[in-house]
Amino acid sequence: MTAALAWSTFLIAFWTLVPQTLSIHRYRHEPEALRGVSMLSLSVIVVDYIGWSAYGILTAAWALWIPSVIGAVLTFVTIVLLLHVRSRRPSGAPGGPSHRGVVTPTGTAQTLQEERP
């Protein structure tokens, strides 16, 4: 019964990652579209999984620590993917290495060429 509860809880928690992971994959070329994916909540989730993993290992509760370790790894991978996508900027895009983007008072974006010495 304990194992079933632990795995059921893990599966519920795992499915909370699915929408964020799908968004990261869908918008991997549009980092701006991923502003709604919370790095803070993902970090809290991975710390929570690590805590439950440690507790499960210390109490020899394999039904608790195994799904917690799996959850920690999957959440950590999601964080790494999100950081990777957010750090990528296509060349020539606003904010990229050769251009600087500004937003006008009307809310439209303009790209300005940076001056080079």
Side-chain angles (χ1 to χ4, degrees):
M1 180 65 173
T2 304
L5 180 61
W7 281 100
S8 298
T9 305
F10 163 73
L11 289 174
I12 291 168
F14 170 76
W15 283 107
T16 63
L17 289 175
V18 170
Q20 293 184 358
T21 306
L22 291 175
S23 291
I24 293 168
H25 178 70
R26 183 178 302 127
Y27 299 110
R28 65 188 176 277
H29 300 296
E30 302 173 43
E32 190 66 26
L34 294 173
R35 290 179 63 185
V37 178
S38 172
M39 185 63 70
L40 178 61
S41 66
L42 289 172
S43 300
V44 168
I45 292 168
V46 80
V47 168
D48 183 55
Y49 274 132
I50 291 169
W52 280 113
S53 298
Y55 177 77
I57 290 169
L58 292 172
T59 60
W62 66 269
L64 180 61
W65 73 262
I66 291 175
S68 296
V69 167
I70 293 169
V73 170
L74 293 174
T75 307
F76 183 75
V77 168
T78 302
I79 289 171
V80 169
L81 290 173
L82 181 60
L83 289 173
H84 176 71
V85 168
R86 286 184 176 172
S87 70
R88 288 178 38 199
R89 290 189 179 150
S91 68
S98 62
H99 293 82
R100 181 180 54 162
V102 295
V103 177
T104 65
T106 60
T108 58
Q110 293 181 342
T111 302
L112 303 174
Q113 189 74 16
E114 286 185 13
E115 295 180 22
R116 302 226 183 229

